[in-house]
Amino acid sequence: MTPLAISPPSSTPEPDMSSIPQDAATIPHSATAQVLTVCIYINKQANTGPNLDRKKIQQLPDHFGPDRPSVVLQQAVQGCIDSAFQQKTVFTLLTQGYGGEKISATFDGKQHLLSLPVVNSIDYVLRFLKKLCRSLHCENLFSDQPISQRSAPGPVEHSREGRFFGRQVCDPLGKKSLLLI
């Protein structure tokens, strides 16, 4: 049996690439990670129900995202908690998840923390928010499309199959959105 030949190390050093800027133009397309991002818009004219304070809803941003689904879910749920007349009401509707983003609420003289479940899909975010809104008795609070904020009070009317709780995927740079049906 003959021993395996070990070739000597290459005498030509690899070029130093650290000084070359790495942007989208220099990184091959296959090397860029395709990050799924979600955009959730807030309908500030929605029926906020008996648990959410309309004045606090008005102070929320017009949308959460584009960002990873887990981050957008955390921002939307935290927005509901922060907009509640009683934070405990919203917080107790939620169950402890594992490994997801954290939310907090202050009640009974203490700050309470809870981890949301790990989220990797747009569908899960939309189902979660729809279920939460149903439990809070608020309608059409979140949408997957931009909402024109009217000055007249009252809910905006859209079908459940249409605008609200559809799916929107943003490109990795957050510049374009695709509505998936």
Side-chain angles (χ1 to χ4, degrees), residues 91-139:
F91 193 83
T92 56
L93 292 173
L94 305 167
T95 55
Q96 177 71 35
Y98 298 97
E101 304 292 327
K102 296 203 183 312
I103 56 163
S104 66
T106 303
F107 55 90
D108 299 337
K110 298 182 206 171
Q111 183 177 27
H112 300 264
L113 296 175
L114 183 127
S115 289
L116 293 172
V118 174
V119 179
N120 293 318
S121 78
I122 295 166
D123 287 333
Y124 187 88
V125 171
L126 297 172
R127 282 192 313 269
F128 191 102
L129 292 175
K130 186 173 187 176
K131 184 177 177 183
L132 178 61
C133 286
R134 230 185 262 141
S135 298
L136 291 171
H137 307 289
C138 61
E139 298 174 19

Short mmCIF file of all heavy atoms in Angstrom, two decimals, residues 91-139:
data_model
loop_
_atom_site.label_atom_id
_atom_site.label_comp_id
_atom_site.label_asym_id
_atom_site.label_seq_id
_atom_site.Cartn_x
_atom_site.Cartn_y
_atom_site.Cartn_z
N PHE A 91 -52.71 40.84 27.22
CA PHE A 91 -51.62 39.94 27.60
C PHE A 91 -52.14 38.54 27.96
O PHE A 91 -51.55 37.54 27.57
CB PHE A 91 -50.84 40.54 28.78
CG PHE A 91 -49.53 39.86 29.05
CD1 PHE A 91 -48.40 40.20 28.33
CD2 PHE A 91 -49.42 38.90 30.04
CE1 PHE A 91 -47.18 39.58 28.58
CE2 PHE A 91 -48.21 38.27 30.29
CZ PHE A 91 -47.09 38.62 29.57
N THR A 92 -53.27 38.48 28.66
CA THR A 92 -53.79 37.18 29.09
C THR A 92 -54.41 36.38 27.94
O THR A 92 -54.67 35.18 28.10
CB THR A 92 -54.81 37.33 30.24
OG1 THR A 92 -55.85 38.21 29.82
CG2 THR A 92 -54.14 37.88 31.50
N LEU A 93 -54.64 37.00 26.81
CA LEU A 93 -55.12 36.27 25.63
C LEU A 93 -54.00 35.49 24.96
O LEU A 93 -54.26 34.60 24.15
CB LEU A 93 -55.72 37.24 24.61
CG LEU A 93 -57.01 37.95 25.00
CD1 LEU A 93 -57.36 39.01 23.96
CD2 LEU A 93 -58.15 36.95 25.16
N LEU A 94 -52.77 35.82 25.27
CA LEU A 94 -51.60 35.24 24.61
C LEU A 94 -51.06 34.06 25.41
O LEU A 94 -51.16 34.04 26.64
CB LEU A 94 -50.52 36.31 24.45
CG LEU A 94 -50.97 37.57 23.71
CD1 LEU A 94 -49.94 38.68 23.88
CD2 LEU A 94 -51.22 37.27 22.24
N THR A 95 -50.50 33.10 24.71
CA THR A 95 -49.87 31.97 25.39
C THR A 95 -48.36 32.02 25.15
O THR A 95 -47.90 32.52 24.11
CB THR A 95 -50.42 30.62 24.88
OG1 THR A 95 -50.26 30.56 23.48
CG2 THR A 95 -51.89 30.47 25.24
N GLN A 96 -47.63 31.49 26.09
CA GLN A 96 -46.18 31.49 26.03
C GLN A 96 -45.70 30.68 24.84
O GLN A 96 -46.11 29.54 24.65
CB GLN A 96 -45.61 30.90 27.32
CG GLN A 96 -44.10 30.76 27.36
CD GLN A 96 -43.38 32.09 27.46
OE1 GLN A 96 -43.84 33.02 28.10
NE2 GLN A 96 -42.24 32.18 26.82
N GLY A 97 -44.86 31.28 24.01
CA GLY A 97 -44.21 30.58 22.90
C GLY A 97 -42.77 30.30 23.30
O GLY A 97 -42.35 30.60 24.43
N TYR A 98 -42.01 29.75 22.38
CA TYR A 98 -40.62 29.43 22.68
C TYR A 98 -39.73 29.91 21.55
O TYR A 98 -39.97 29.60 20.39
CB TYR A 98 -40.45 27.91 22.89
CG TYR A 98 -41.26 27.43 24.05
CD1 TYR A 98 -42.51 26.86 23.87
CD2 TYR A 98 -40.79 27.59 25.35
CE1 TYR A 98 -43.27 26.45 24.94
CE2 TYR A 98 -41.54 27.19 26.43
CZ TYR A 98 -42.78 26.61 26.22
OH TYR A 98 -43.53 26.21 27.29
N GLY A 99 -38.74 30.72 21.90
CA GLY A 99 -37.74 31.13 20.94
C GLY A 99 -38.10 32.32 20.08
O GLY A 99 -37.31 32.74 19.26
N GLY A 100 -39.30 32.87 20.24
CA GLY A 100 -39.72 34.00 19.42
C GLY A 100 -39.37 35.33 20.08
O GLY A 100 -38.71 35.39 21.12
N GLU A 101 -39.85 36.39 19.46
CA GLU A 101 -39.63 37.73 19.99
C GLU A 101 -40.39 37.90 21.31
O GLU A 101 -41.41 37.26 21.53
CB GLU A 101 -40.11 38.77 18.98
CG GLU A 101 -39.46 38.65 17.61
CD GLU A 101 -37.98 39.00 17.60
OE1 GLU A 101 -37.56 39.88 18.37
OE2 GLU A 101 -37.25 38.39 16.80
N LYS A 102 -39.91 38.80 22.15
CA LYS A 102 -40.54 39.02 23.46
C LYS A 102 -41.47 40.24 23.42
O LYS A 102 -41.21 41.21 22.72
CB LYS A 102 -39.47 39.24 24.51
CG LYS A 102 -38.60 38.02 24.71
CD LYS A 102 -37.95 38.02 26.06
CE LYS A 102 -37.01 36.86 26.27
NZ LYS A 102 -37.48 35.57 25.93
N ILE A 103 -42.54 40.14 24.19
CA ILE A 103 -43.45 41.26 24.39
C ILE A 103 -43.56 41.51 25.88
O ILE A 103 -43.21 40.64 26.69
CB ILE A 103 -44.85 40.98 23.79
CG1 ILE A 103 -45.42 39.71 24.37
CG2 ILE A 103 -44.80 40.92 22.28
CD1 ILE A 103 -46.90 39.57 24.16
N SER A 104 -44.03 42.70 26.25
CA SER A 104 -44.16 43.00 27.67
C SER A 104 -45.44 43.77 27.93
O SER A 104 -45.97 44.44 27.04
CB SER A 104 -42.95 43.81 28.16
OG SER A 104 -42.94 45.08 27.53
N ALA A 105 -45.91 43.64 29.16
CA ALA A 105 -47.10 44.38 29.60
C ALA A 105 -46.90 44.70 31.08
O ALA A 105 -46.24 43.94 31.81
CB ALA A 105 -48.36 43.56 29.40
N THR A 106 -47.46 45.81 31.50
CA THR A 106 -47.37 46.20 32.89
C THR A 106 -48.77 46.19 33.49
O THR A 106 -49.66 46.88 33.01
CB THR A 106 -46.74 47.60 33.03
OG1 THR A 106 -45.46 47.59 32.40
CG2 THR A 106 -46.58 47.99 34.49
N PHE A 107 -48.95 45.37 34.51
CA PHE A 107 -50.21 45.32 35.25
C PHE A 107 -49.95 44.68 36.60
O PHE A 107 -48.92 44.04 36.81
CB PHE A 107 -51.31 44.57 34.48
CG PHE A 107 -50.95 43.17 34.05
CD1 PHE A 107 -51.21 42.08 34.88
CD2 PHE A 107 -50.37 42.94 32.82
CE1 PHE A 107 -50.89 40.79 34.47
CE2 PHE A 107 -50.05 41.66 32.40
CZ PHE A 107 -50.32 40.58 33.23
N ASP A 108 -50.86 44.90 37.53
CA ASP A 108 -50.73 44.40 38.90
C ASP A 108 -49.41 44.85 39.54
O ASP A 108 -48.80 44.12 40.32
CB ASP A 108 -50.85 42.87 38.96
CG ASP A 108 -52.19 42.36 38.48
OD1 ASP A 108 -53.17 43.15 38.50
OD2 ASP A 108 -52.27 41.18 38.07
N GLY A 109 -48.95 46.04 39.16
CA GLY A 109 -47.74 46.60 39.74
C GLY A 109 -46.44 45.97 39.27
O GLY A 109 -45.39 46.23 39.84
N LYS A 110 -46.49 45.13 38.23
CA LYS A 110 -45.28 44.46 37.76
C LYS A 110 -45.23 44.49 36.24
O LYS A 110 -46.25 44.60 35.56
CB LYS A 110 -45.28 42.98 38.16
CG LYS A 110 -45.27 42.69 39.62
CD LYS A 110 -45.21 41.18 39.80
CE LYS A 110 -45.81 40.78 41.13
NZ LYS A 110 -45.94 39.34 41.24
N GLN A 111 -44.01 44.31 35.72
CA GLN A 111 -43.85 44.13 34.28
C GLN A 111 -43.83 42.64 34.00
O GLN A 111 -43.12 41.88 34.66
CB GLN A 111 -42.56 44.77 33.77
CG GLN A 111 -42.44 44.65 32.27
CD GLN A 111 -41.21 45.33 31.70
OE1 GLN A 111 -40.21 45.48 32.39
NE2 GLN A 111 -41.28 45.73 30.45
N HIS A 112 -44.62 42.21 33.03
CA HIS A 112 -44.72 40.80 32.66
C HIS A 112 -44.14 40.62 31.26
O HIS A 112 -44.40 41.44 30.37
CB HIS A 112 -46.19 40.35 32.68
CG HIS A 112 -46.82 40.51 34.02
ND1 HIS A 112 -46.91 39.49 34.92
CD2 HIS A 112 -47.38 41.59 34.62
CE1 HIS A 112 -47.50 39.92 36.03
NE2 HIS A 112 -47.80 41.20 35.86
N LEU A 113 -43.36 39.56 31.07
CA LEU A 113 -42.75 39.26 29.78
C LEU A 113 -43.28 37.94 29.25
O LEU A 113 -43.60 37.03 30.02
CB LEU A 113 -41.23 39.17 29.90
CG LEU A 113 -40.49 40.44 30.31
CD1 LEU A 113 -39.01 40.15 30.51
CD2 LEU A 113 -40.68 41.51 29.26
N LEU A 114 -43.33 37.85 27.93
CA LEU A 114 -43.79 36.62 27.29
C LEU A 114 -43.07 36.50 25.96
O LEU A 114 -42.88 37.51 25.26
CB LEU A 114 -45.30 36.71 27.07
CG LEU A 114 -46.00 35.51 26.49
CD1 LEU A 114 -47.16 35.13 27.39
CD2 LEU A 114 -46.54 35.86 25.13
N SER A 115 -42.68 35.29 25.61
CA SER A 115 -42.09 35.04 24.29
C SER A 115 -43.18 34.60 23.35
O SER A 115 -43.99 33.75 23.69
CB SER A 115 -41.03 33.93 24.37
OG SER A 115 -39.90 34.38 25.05
N LEU A 116 -43.19 35.18 22.16
CA LEU A 116 -44.11 34.73 21.13
C LEU A 116 -43.51 33.49 20.47
O LEU A 116 -42.32 33.23 20.60
CB LEU A 116 -44.30 35.84 20.09
CG LEU A 116 -45.01 37.10 20.58
CD1 LEU A 116 -44.96 38.20 19.54
CD2 LEU A 116 -46.45 36.79 20.97
N PRO A 117 -44.32 32.74 19.75
CA PRO A 117 -43.75 31.58 19.05
C PRO A 117 -42.83 32.03 17.92
O PRO A 117 -42.92 33.16 17.44
CB PRO A 117 -44.98 30.87 18.49
CG PRO A 117 -46.12 31.80 18.63
CD PRO A 117 -45.75 32.86 19.60
N VAL A 118 -41.95 31.15 17.51
CA VAL A 118 -41.08 31.42 16.37
C VAL A 118 -41.96 31.49 15.13
O VAL A 118 -42.84 30.65 14.94
CB VAL A 118 -40.02 30.30 16.21
CG1 VAL A 118 -39.21 30.50 14.93
CG2 VAL A 118 -39.11 30.28 17.41
N VAL A 119 -41.74 32.51 14.33
CA VAL A 119 -42.57 32.74 13.14
C VAL A 119 -41.68 32.77 11.92
O VAL A 119 -40.70 33.51 11.87
CB VAL A 119 -43.31 34.09 13.26
CG1 VAL A 119 -44.14 34.35 12.03
CG2 VAL A 119 -44.15 34.13 14.50
N ASN A 120 -42.02 31.95 10.93
CA ASN A 120 -41.25 31.93 9.68
C ASN A 120 -42.12 32.10 8.45
O ASN A 120 -41.62 31.94 7.34
CB ASN A 120 -40.45 30.62 9.58
CG ASN A 120 -39.37 30.54 10.62
OD1 ASN A 120 -38.69 31.52 10.87
ND2 ASN A 120 -39.22 29.40 11.24
N SER A 121 -43.40 32.39 8.65
CA SER A 121 -44.25 32.54 7.47
C SER A 121 -45.20 33.71 7.63
O SER A 121 -45.60 34.07 8.73
CB SER A 121 -45.05 31.26 7.21
OG SER A 121 -46.14 31.17 8.09
N ILE A 122 -45.55 34.26 6.50
CA ILE A 122 -46.50 35.37 6.46
C ILE A 122 -47.87 34.88 6.90
O ILE A 122 -48.58 35.56 7.64
CB ILE A 122 -46.55 35.96 5.04
CG1 ILE A 122 -45.20 36.56 4.70
CG2 ILE A 122 -47.66 36.98 4.90
CD1 ILE A 122 -45.03 36.88 3.24
N ASP A 123 -48.23 33.68 6.45
CA ASP A 123 -49.55 33.14 6.80
C ASP A 123 -49.74 33.06 8.31
O ASP A 123 -50.81 33.36 8.82
CB ASP A 123 -49.73 31.75 6.19
CG ASP A 123 -49.94 31.79 4.69
OD1 ASP A 123 -50.45 32.82 4.19
OD2 ASP A 123 -49.60 30.80 4.03
N TYR A 124 -48.69 32.64 9.02
CA TYR A 124 -48.80 32.53 10.46
C TYR A 124 -49.03 33.90 11.10
O TYR A 124 -49.87 34.04 11.99
CB TYR A 124 -47.56 31.86 11.06
CG TYR A 124 -47.74 31.58 12.53
CD1 TYR A 124 -48.30 30.39 12.96
CD2 TYR A 124 -47.38 32.52 13.50
CE1 TYR A 124 -48.49 30.13 14.30
CE2 TYR A 124 -47.57 32.27 14.84
CZ TYR A 124 -48.13 31.08 15.24
OH TYR A 124 -48.33 30.84 16.58
N VAL A 125 -48.31 34.91 10.66
CA VAL A 125 -48.49 36.27 11.19
C VAL A 125 -49.94 36.71 11.00
O VAL A 125 -50.58 37.21 11.93
CB VAL A 125 -47.54 37.28 10.50
CG1 VAL A 125 -47.87 38.71 10.90
CG2 VAL A 125 -46.09 36.96 10.83
N LEU A 126 -50.45 36.52 9.80
CA LEU A 126 -51.81 36.96 9.50
C LEU A 126 -52.86 36.19 10.30
O LEU A 126 -53.81 36.78 10.83
CB LEU A 126 -52.08 36.86 8.00
CG LEU A 126 -51.19 37.77 7.15
CD1 LEU A 126 -51.36 37.47 5.67
CD2 LEU A 126 -51.45 39.23 7.45
N ARG A 127 -52.68 34.88 10.42
CA ARG A 127 -53.63 34.08 11.22
C ARG A 127 -53.59 34.49 12.69
O ARG A 127 -54.62 34.61 13.35
CB ARG A 127 -53.32 32.59 11.09
CG ARG A 127 -53.80 31.97 9.81
CD ARG A 127 -53.74 30.44 9.85
NE ARG A 127 -52.51 29.89 10.37
CZ ARG A 127 -51.46 29.56 9.62
NH1 ARG A 127 -51.48 29.73 8.32
NH2 ARG A 127 -50.37 29.07 10.17
N PHE A 128 -52.39 34.71 13.21
CA PHE A 128 -52.22 35.10 14.61
C PHE A 128 -52.92 36.43 14.88
O PHE A 128 -53.68 36.56 15.84
CB PHE A 128 -50.72 35.20 14.93
CG PHE A 128 -50.41 35.35 16.39
CD1 PHE A 128 -49.96 34.26 17.11
CD2 PHE A 128 -50.55 36.57 17.04
CE1 PHE A 128 -49.65 34.39 18.47
CE2 PHE A 128 -50.25 36.71 18.38
CZ PHE A 128 -49.80 35.60 19.11
N LEU A 129 -52.69 37.42 14.01
CA LEU A 129 -53.29 38.74 14.22
C LEU A 129 -54.80 38.70 14.04
O LEU A 129 -55.53 39.38 14.76
CB LEU A 129 -52.66 39.76 13.28
CG LEU A 129 -51.20 40.10 13.57
CD1 LEU A 129 -50.66 41.04 12.50
CD2 LEU A 129 -51.03 40.69 14.96
N LYS A 130 -55.27 37.90 13.12
CA LYS A 130 -56.72 37.77 12.91
C LYS A 130 -57.38 37.18 14.16
O LYS A 130 -58.42 37.68 14.62
CB LYS A 130 -57.00 36.90 11.70
CG LYS A 130 -58.45 36.82 11.31
CD LYS A 130 -58.62 36.07 10.00
CE LYS A 130 -60.05 36.14 9.52
NZ LYS A 130 -60.20 35.50 8.22
N LYS A 131 -56.77 36.15 14.72
CA LYS A 131 -57.30 35.52 15.93
C LYS A 131 -57.26 36.50 17.11
O LYS A 131 -58.22 36.59 17.88
CB LYS A 131 -56.49 34.25 16.25
CG LYS A 131 -57.01 33.48 17.42
CD LYS A 131 -56.20 32.21 17.62
CE LYS A 131 -56.68 31.47 18.85
NZ LYS A 131 -55.87 30.26 19.10
N LEU A 132 -56.17 37.24 17.25
CA LEU A 132 -56.06 38.21 18.33
C LEU A 132 -57.13 39.29 18.19
O LEU A 132 -57.79 39.65 19.17
CB LEU A 132 -54.66 38.84 18.35
CG LEU A 132 -54.41 39.91 19.41
CD1 LEU A 132 -54.57 39.34 20.82
CD2 LEU A 132 -53.03 40.52 19.23
N CYS A 133 -57.31 39.81 16.99
CA CYS A 133 -58.32 40.85 16.77
C CYS A 133 -59.72 40.32 17.06
O CYS A 133 -60.54 41.03 17.64
CB CYS A 133 -58.24 41.38 15.34
SG CYS A 133 -56.82 42.46 15.09
N ARG A 134 -60.00 39.09 16.67
CA ARG A 134 -61.30 38.49 16.98
C ARG A 134 -61.52 38.44 18.49
O ARG A 134 -62.59 38.75 18.99
CB ARG A 134 -61.38 37.09 16.39
CG ARG A 134 -62.64 36.89 15.58
CD ARG A 134 -62.77 35.47 15.10
NE ARG A 134 -62.30 35.39 13.73
CZ ARG A 134 -61.60 34.39 13.22
NH1 ARG A 134 -61.27 33.37 13.97
NH2 ARG A 134 -61.22 34.42 11.98
N SER A 135 -60.49 38.04 19.22
CA SER A 135 -60.58 37.95 20.68
C SER A 135 -60.76 39.32 21.32
O SER A 135 -61.39 39.44 22.37
CB SER A 135 -59.33 37.28 21.26
OG SER A 135 -59.22 35.96 20.77
N LEU A 136 -60.19 40.35 20.69
CA LEU A 136 -60.29 41.71 21.22
C LEU A 136 -61.55 42.44 20.72
O LEU A 136 -61.79 43.58 21.10
CB LEU A 136 -59.05 42.52 20.82
CG LEU A 136 -57.75 42.11 21.47
CD1 LEU A 136 -56.58 42.83 20.83
CD2 LEU A 136 -57.80 42.38 22.97
N HIS A 137 -62.33 41.78 19.88
CA HIS A 137 -63.55 42.36 19.31
C HIS A 137 -63.27 43.63 18.51
O HIS A 137 -64.04 44.58 18.57
CB HIS A 137 -64.60 42.63 20.40
CG HIS A 137 -64.89 41.43 21.24
ND1 HIS A 137 -65.59 40.34 20.76
CD2 HIS A 137 -64.55 41.13 22.52
CE1 HIS A 137 -65.67 39.43 21.72
NE2 HIS A 137 -65.05 39.87 22.79
N CYS A 138 -62.17 43.64 17.80
CA CYS A 138 -61.88 44.76 16.90
C CYS A 138 -61.87 44.21 15.48
O CYS A 138 -61.51 43.06 15.26
CB CYS A 138 -60.57 45.46 17.26
SG CYS A 138 -59.10 44.44 17.17
N GLU A 139 -62.29 45.04 14.54
CA GLU A 139 -62.42 44.58 13.17
C GLU A 139 -61.49 45.36 12.24
O GLU A 139 -61.36 46.57 12.35
CB GLU A 139 -63.86 44.79 12.69
CG GLU A 139 -64.87 44.00 13.49
CD GLU A 139 -66.29 44.34 13.08
OE1 GLU A 139 -66.49 44.90 11.98
OE2 GLU A 139 -67.19 44.06 13.87
#
